Amino acid sequence: MPLVLAHVLSAALHGIEAALVRVEVDVAAGLPVFTTVGLPDSAVRESRERVRTAIRNAGFAFPPDRITVNLSPAGLRKEGPWFDLPIALGILAATGSLKGNGLGSFAVVGELALDGQIQPVRGTLAVGLTCRRRGIGTLLVPRDNSREASAVDGLRILPAGTLRDAVALLNGESTPGPAPTAESAPAAADDLDFADVRGQAHAKRALEIAAAGGHNVLLVGPPGAGKTMLARRLGAVLPPLGGDEIIEVSTIWSVAGLLPPRSGLVRQRPFRAPHHTISVAGLIGGGSPPHPGEVTLAHGGVLFLDELPEFQQHVLESLRQPLEDARVTIARARGIGTFPARFQLVAAANPCRRGCPSLELCLCTPPERSRYLGRLSRPLLDRIDLHVELPALDAAEFQTSTGGDASRVIRDRVLRARERQRVRLRDAGLALNADLSPRQLTRFCPLTSEATRLLGAAMTRLGLSARGHDRALRVARTIADLAGAEIVAAEHCAEAVQYRGLDRTWRA
Ligand SMILES: Nc1ncnc2c1ncn2[C@@H]1O[C@H](COP(=O)(O)OP(=O)(O)OP(=O)(O)O)[C@@H](O)[C@H]1O
Ligand SMILES: [Mg+2]
């Protein structure tokens, strides 16, 4: 039996990126010990037992020699069980069961069960993207992950169900079946329609504007007014994910282990609605090694925070960085993780803690009421372009009012407004009005003189800060885009100013 050094390429995850790892296996004469070096975590160290048993149960000989596995580069921390398969293949290559001629140009990931079955792992899509970038032509993956991996154009995917399959494929003794298509992800049933919500035309209009310009929105109203119902319908009027976004969002879900086995890519915009008891680590990400939080899982979609004032204050404050930078950076002793977090925030709140039906029937004292909404800090509110107050629906209104436009109709208007923005903002590298900086506002929001006067008067009358003025202007730009107007007119500004009402009510 030849006793040699073999190597197999694999990958380790860092944030949502994968880094290539060279798995070196040395089988040498000596006492039968099996050592793993190169910053392995406990799951990687445990892989010794799985590899030993899986190799035997797959019908191969396990060498009674001294085995040393080195995961290189040694400075990079390796976590998780997906080095099982590359380590097993390295041992089989070193002992001659695997011819290994072409092994250098392959990368391999997979967890082994004791009977030699290959278990799915998270992050296969990220590994595939790294392989393509680094010029590696073929990736051997667990069969259950082959569909997501196939989404990487120009990369040959070898799906394997067992260690024996993997060896046969790499030895050229069997040919892989037809590549699975990444296109066949099941489309989630979406039966939420805006037409189901009666009345509340003002709130629906605000959500249409939010969808068109990518603005964050806060809905304030008594219990049962339809806040949660409306927020859940926002996704139905947003444009579908674009090609690059599909890969980006799917990579996040793959790394987070949320893609179900055998599934394809995520094609629907994410809608995440964490409970108000969530921790900072759950919302922003955290842990060691860092894992993505809800803001990252909402990337490309909607983060819905229902009952906003009930969230712990420091949890709400932690939202400021991702809202500002569209990404989060988490530093831990065992590594830094940077995760994308570009999401649209939709928040809902009752006007008071007791959830009284209206201001007239409210049992709370004015100080109690202002304390409740006062828990939302100014910097957080400043990042929300649209504040919408919903009235309680009375019985007559509820019975007589209709649902208005269907989501499909609203979405067409949203798409047209987005296209206008895309064309206008292309040179500035932006796509949405919500992302306009104060300086870009001057350039991209030409105002009629009447509109300028109106905004100035609103600043004085409503006590709008300079920031509030800019927020209103951004929203006015989107309202003009929905109306198909290039110049922002007074009527657009007048409507936009209505959505800053809470600046005055709460913070005066
Ligand atoms: N405008 C509406 N049109 C149709 N149904 C409505 C409307 N508002 C409320 N409902 C009904 O009331 C239920 C509760 O609405 P929803 O959960 O959206 O209220 P909410 O404003 O979020 O209340 P809470 O403050 O208690 O969370 C809905 O499931 C729906 O059946
Ligand atoms: Mg609700």
Side-chain angles (χ1 to χ4, degrees), residues 344-363:
Q344 195 168 354
L345 176 68
V346 181
N350 286 325
C352 63
R353 172 164 292 239
R354 289 192 182 88
C356 303
S358 67
L359 202 57
E360 296 76 52
L361 298 175
C362 188
L363 302 172

Side-chain angles (χ1 to χ4, degrees), residues 227-228 306-307:
K227 303 181 295 293
T228 304
D306 207 354
E307 320 291 353

Side-chain angles (χ1 to χ4, degrees), residues 92-163:
L92 294 176
T95 56
S97 298
L98 189 70
K99 308 293 177 284
N101 302 337
L103 270 186
S105 61
F106 286 99
V108 177
V109 286
E111 177 183 341
L112 283 172
L114 296 184
D115 61 358
Q117 298 277 337
I118 300 174
Q119 306 287 342
V121 293
R122 61 192 181 88
T124 319
L125 185 51
V127 175
L129 292 169
T130 296
C131 286
R132 184 177 61 186
R133 205 170 50 243
R134 300 288 299 273
I136 292 160
T138 306
L139 175 63
L140 191 138
V141 297
R143 191 179 298 287
D144 282 352
N145 292 127
S146 58
R147 194 159 267 170
E148 63 175 277
S150 314
V152 183
D153 287 337
L155 181 68
R156 185 166 168 244
I157 299 298
L158 298 180
T162 64
L163 182 55

Side-chain angles (χ1 to χ4, degrees), residues 391-476:
L393 279 187
D394 62 34
E397 204 182 345
F398 183 77
Q399 284 169 341
T400 54
S401 57
T402 60
D405 288 339
S407 295
R408 189 175 27 82
V409 178
I410 301 175
R411 184 153 87 152
D412 285 347
R413 292 198 291 261
V414 167
L415 291 181
R416 276 198 298 277
R418 285 206 172 205
E419 179 57 18
R420 293 184 72 88
Q421 294 167 66
R422 195 188 62 77
V423 171
R424 181 183 314 114
L425 304 176
R426 200 173 27 204
D427 293 345
L430 298 179
L432 290 169
N433 291 336
D435 298 328
L436 288 170
S437 68
R439 187 188 293 169
Q440 288 166 330
L441 276 175
T442 322
R443 179 170 159 211
F444 293 113
C445 303
L447 290 164
T448 62
S449 51
E450 202 191 337
T452 312
R453 264 199 311 280
L454 188 140
L455 269 181
M459 274 185 90
T460 322
R461 193 162 38 84
L462 300 178
L464 278 192
S465 63
R467 254 213 175 118
H469 170 278
D470 284 355
R471 301 257 146 204
L473 190 50
R474 256 180 224 120
V475 171

Side-chain angles (χ1 to χ4, degrees), residues 158-481:
L158 298 180
T162 64
L163 182 55
R164 275 221 156 264
D165 285 354
V167 171
L169 281 169
L170 295 175
N171 279 344
E173 293 155 10
S174 73
T175 47
T181 92
E183 298 301 318
S184 48
D190 191 2
D191 52 1
L192 298 178
D193 199 299
F194 266 95
D196 303 336
V197 185
R198 299 188 196 191
Q200 306 298 15
H202 176 62
K204 285 186 193 171
R205 167 75 177 163
L207 285 171
E208 178 173 336
I209 298 167
H215 305 281
N216 298 325
V217 54
L218 169 63
L219 307 171
V220 182
K227 303 181 295 293
T228 304
M229 232 185 143
L230 282 163
R232 292 198 172 275
R233 281 156 177 78
L234 181 63
V237 299
L238 290 172
L241 286 174
D244 290 349
E245 285 179 309
I246 290 178
I247 296 289
E248 205 178 4
V249 171
S250 301
T251 304
I252 292 170
W253 285 56
S254 165
V255 166
L258 293 178
L259 276 186
R262 289 183 293 280
S263 80
L265 304 178
V266 178
R267 288 172 191 284
Q268 297 218 314
R269 291 199 180 268
F271 182 92
R272 304 291 298 180
H275 190 253
H276 58 72
T277 51
I278 194 170
S279 64
V280 172
L283 188 63
I284 301 302
S288 193
H291 60 258
E294 289 293 331
V295 293
T296 297
L297 298 176
H299 180 74
V302 175
L303 179 69
F304 176 44
L305 301 183
D306 207 354
E307 320 291 353
L308 191 67
E310 300 290 340
F311 284 71
Q312 292 182 64
Q313 206 119 21
H314 68 285
V315 173
L316 288 181
E317 292 312 302
S318 70
L319 272 177
R320 280 161 59 179
Q321 191 217 351
L323 279 173
E324 200 70 20
D325 304 339
R327 57 172 50 232
V328 280
T329 305
I330 300 155
R332 289 287 181 278
R334 286 172 56 195
I336 290 184
T338 298
F339 298 105
R342 182 180 297 283
F343 56 87
Q344 195 168 354
L345 176 68
V346 181
N350 286 325
C352 63
R353 172 164 292 239
R354 289 192 182 88
C356 303
S358 67
L359 202 57
E360 296 76 52
L361 298 175
C362 188
L363 302 172
C364 309
T365 61
E368 276 177 334
R369 270 205 304 277
S370 58
R371 236 193 340 268
Y372 188 58
L373 289 181
R375 299 183 60 174
L376 309 178
S377 72
R378 178 102 216 187
L380 178 63
L381 287 178
D382 267 340
R383 286 166 178 80
I384 300 179
D385 284 348
L386 295 144
H387 305 163
V388 189
E389 288 173 272
L390 285 83
L393 279 187
D394 62 34
E397 204 182 345
F398 183 77
Q399 284 169 341
T400 54
S401 57
T402 60
D405 288 339
S407 295
R408 189 175 27 82
V409 178
I410 301 175
R411 184 153 87 152
D412 285 347
R413 292 198 291 261
V414 167
L415 291 181
R416 276 198 298 277
R418 285 206 172 205
E419 179 57 18
R420 293 184 72 88
Q421 294 167 66
R422 195 188 62 77
V423 171
R424 181 183 314 114
L425 304 176
R426 200 173 27 204
D427 293 345
L430 298 179
L432 290 169
N433 291 336
D435 298 328
L436 288 170
S437 68
R439 187 188 293 169
Q440 288 166 330
L441 276 175
T442 322
R443 179 170 159 211
F444 293 113
C445 303
L447 290 164
T448 62
S449 51
E450 202 191 337
T452 312
R453 264 199 311 280
L454 188 140
L455 269 181
M459 274 185 90
T460 322
R461 193 162 38 84
L462 300 178
L464 278 192
S465 63
R467 254 213 175 118
H469 170 278
D470 284 355
R471 301 257 146 204
L473 190 50
R474 256 180 224 120
V475 171
R477 175 69 274 174
T478 302
I479 293 170
D481 283 328

